[in-house]
Amino acid sequence: MDNTMQRKYNALHATYWMGTLCALGFVAVLLQHKGLTNTEIGVVTGGSSLTTIVLSPVVSGVCAKVKRFSLQQQLIGFFAVESLLFSAIVFLPLPKALLMGLYIAMYALNISTVPLVSTIAMNYIADGKPVNFGLSRGIGSISYALCAIVAGQLVGWFSPAALGFLFLGANILCVVVLWRMPATYSKTEAKADCAASVSLFGLAGRYRLFFGLLLGFGLAFAASACVGTYLINIVTSLGGDASMLGVATFFMAASELPVMAVAPRLMRRFGAKSLLAAAALFYIARNGLVCVAPSLPVLFAGLAFQGLSYGLFTPIMTYYVAENLAKEHQIMGQTMIGVMTSGFGSAIGNTAGGMLQDAYGMETMLRFVLALTLAGALMVVSLRQAGKKQNVPQLAKESN
């Protein structure tokens, strides 16, 4: 393995997820500081997720066809736009409607860049420059976790406006890393343009098992997104504050590195579908403990299952796309992962979670979280069992 390449890709994830923590991890804290209610925060985060469903395929489709600019250069352009939007949100006194609109746009754009970061690794691997995506993604999780501790302390000492400075600093570092990385371009060939431009609906029809697995994880992710967005409310209900939110987020994100780092080895030993089924079951453990937690230590214990749920799902599904989807469909396949989780899933979890809290209280929201988790996990496990009994023609290369 080229250690220099690995270090650079590690640095990309470290800086990328620092910025994401500032923009998304403390969304409820920042928007509550700006005067929004839980329902309005749900509208922002749910609206962002719905926007992602439309925006992410457009971004990926355009980037797949652009030959003049590398994927790194395209990401730098997106980061510049995000920085302008987030700076306006944090530092300017905006009307509530405009504030919500800008946050929806910034949040959706941030999520829409995730497939490009993944595709850079897959391109390097295809070019004979192997990198361990799981290790890099795990380092991103550690970076997210450590930044959460810092952000929690700064918000407690100063105000949520500190998130704006952290976000800009992280983006500047990320741009420096991208400039120093070997450029890689979309691998879509001209003769494959028709296939490469397949829509999400077309992709779902072509790879039905892939879509079914993502639908199940979308429901489990909806439950987790609901917990993540309103985690500050759960923490305060158990006697914590913004600094404890940072600790809770640390437990969540830090647990991902060990699992993500060994993901390639686990793939070789157990196969993708078995690992995805295991991740679905660990979602039950994660969200179940969070929902019944009587104290902060139990809450932290539940959040520590993030590594075996989301931390296992993320790299395995990324490798799954690289191995089972045609090359010209892989950027859109990576995009569909984001659409079904951060898009479809987050839209359901965030919107319903805010409304349920304001209308019926937190206990009702937590029961909703449990129901979604069980439904999603059972769907994934059922598809895994069905895959054992029959050959799925559209995923003929798929491993058990």
Side-chain angles (χ1 to χ4, degrees):
M1 182 181 294
D2 185 339
N3 289 329
T4 301
M5 182 72 72
Q6 184 69 54
R7 286 195 297 270
K8 289 180 178 179
Y9 193 64
N10 291 348
L12 173 60
H13 273 275
T15 53
Y16 179 86
W17 291 104
M18 283 172 59
T20 299
L21 176 278
C22 298
L24 278 59
F26 279 67
V27 57
V29 174
L30 178 58
L31 293 183
Q32 285 175 355
H33 174 70
K34 290 286 186 174
L36 273 64
T37 65
N38 289 321
T39 298
E40 289 168 337
I41 293 170
V43 170
V44 170
T45 52
S48 301
S49 302
L50 291 174
T51 303
T52 299
I53 295 174
V54 177
L55 181 62
S56 190
V58 171
V59 168
S60 294
V62 170
C63 291
K65 295 178 182 179
V66 170
K67 305 298 183 183
R68 182 177 178 182
F69 300 105
S70 68
L71 294 178
Q72 287 88 344
Q73 289 172 324
Q74 294 177 51
L75 277 170
I76 289 171
F78 290 131
F79 291 155
V81 175
E82 289 177 36
S83 297
L84 289 173
L85 292 174
F86 197 63
S87 295
I89 291 165
V90 173
F91 300 120
L92 297 181
L94 302 174
K96 185 177 288 188
L98 180 57
L99 172 70
M100 294 171 70
L102 291 181
Y103 214 114
I104 286 172
M106 186 279 304
Y107 193 120
L109 185 58
N110 183 277
I111 294 172
S112 297
T113 60
V114 174
L116 299 182
V117 176
S118 302
T119 301
I120 287 173
M122 300 305 117
N123 281 5
Y124 284 158
I125 292 171
D127 291 338
K129 302 172 183 176
V131 295
N132 184 336
F133 172 82
L135 173 62
S136 297
R137 182 60 184 83
I139 287 173
S141 295
I142 289 294
S143 174
Y144 188 100
L146 294 174
C147 190
I149 294 289
V150 173
Q153 293 299 323
L154 290 177
V155 167
W157 292 339
F158 303 105
S159 78
L163 297 170
F165 295 104
L166 280 177
F167 183 78
L168 292 174
N171 273 7
I172 291 170
L173 290 174
C174 197
V175 167
V176 171
V177 171
L178 286 166
W179 274 119
R180 295 175 61 84
M181 294 179 73
T184 185
Y185 296 79
S186 168
K187 291 190 175 295
T188 301
E189 300 177 3
K191 64 182 181 181
D193 279 347
C194 180
S197 63
V198 65
S199 67
L200 286 180
F201 290 110
L203 201 72
R206 187 183 295 257
Y207 303 101
R208 291 194 294 274
L209 179 56
F210 171 59
F211 176 73
L213 291 169
L214 284 181
L215 181 59
F217 276 109
L219 294 175
F221 192 90
S224 294
C226 185
V227 168
T229 297
Y230 303 105
L231 187 57
I232 183 61
N233 296 344
I234 299 173
V235 167
T236 53
S237 73
L238 296 175
D241 55 16
S243 64
M244 283 295 102
L245 173 62
V247 174
T249 304
F250 176 86
F251 271 89
M252 228 179 353
S255 67
E256 296 173 5
L257 174 60
V259 179
M260 289 181 168
V262 300
R265 189 177 304 173
L266 293 173
M267 276 276 291
R268 290 192 294 270
R269 180 171 178 83
F270 299 106
K273 289 188 290 183
S274 295
L275 291 172
L276 290 173
L281 294 175
F282 280 116
Y283 263 109
I284 297 176
R286 177 198 187 277
N287 293 342
L289 277 175
V290 169
C291 289
V292 303
S295 63
L296 286 172
V298 177
L299 175 67
F300 296 159
L303 294 174
F305 277 99
Q306 175 92 350
L308 290 169
S309 52
Y310 177 79
L312 186 58
F313 160 75
T314 300
I316 297 303
M317 189 58 84
T318 297
Y319 287 125
Y320 181 105
V321 168
E323 292 185 358
N324 293 288
L325 272 64
K327 185 172 294 185
E328 61 267 22
H329 296 151
Q330 288 188 12
I331 289 183
M332 193 60 77
Q334 300 292 353
T335 299
M336 182 173 275
I337 296 175
V339 166
M340 294 302 296
T341 53
S342 299
F344 165 77
S346 290
I348 293 174
N350 289 326
T351 305
M355 292 179 177
L356 288 172
Q357 276 189 91
D358 284 345
Y360 303 106
M362 185 176 296
E363 289 301 318
T364 299
M365 184 195 78
L366 294 177
R367 286 195 289 269
F368 171 72
V369 166
L370 280 175
L372 281 182
T373 304
L374 290 172
L378 288 175
M379 181 178 294
V380 173
V381 172
S382 297
L383 286 170
R384 164 59 181 150
Q385 292 303 112
K388 285 182 176 181
K389 298 176 182 179
Q390 60 184 350
N391 182 37
V392 182
Q394 56 271 63
L395 287 176
K397 295 194 302 178
E398 197 171 84
S399 61
N400 286 320

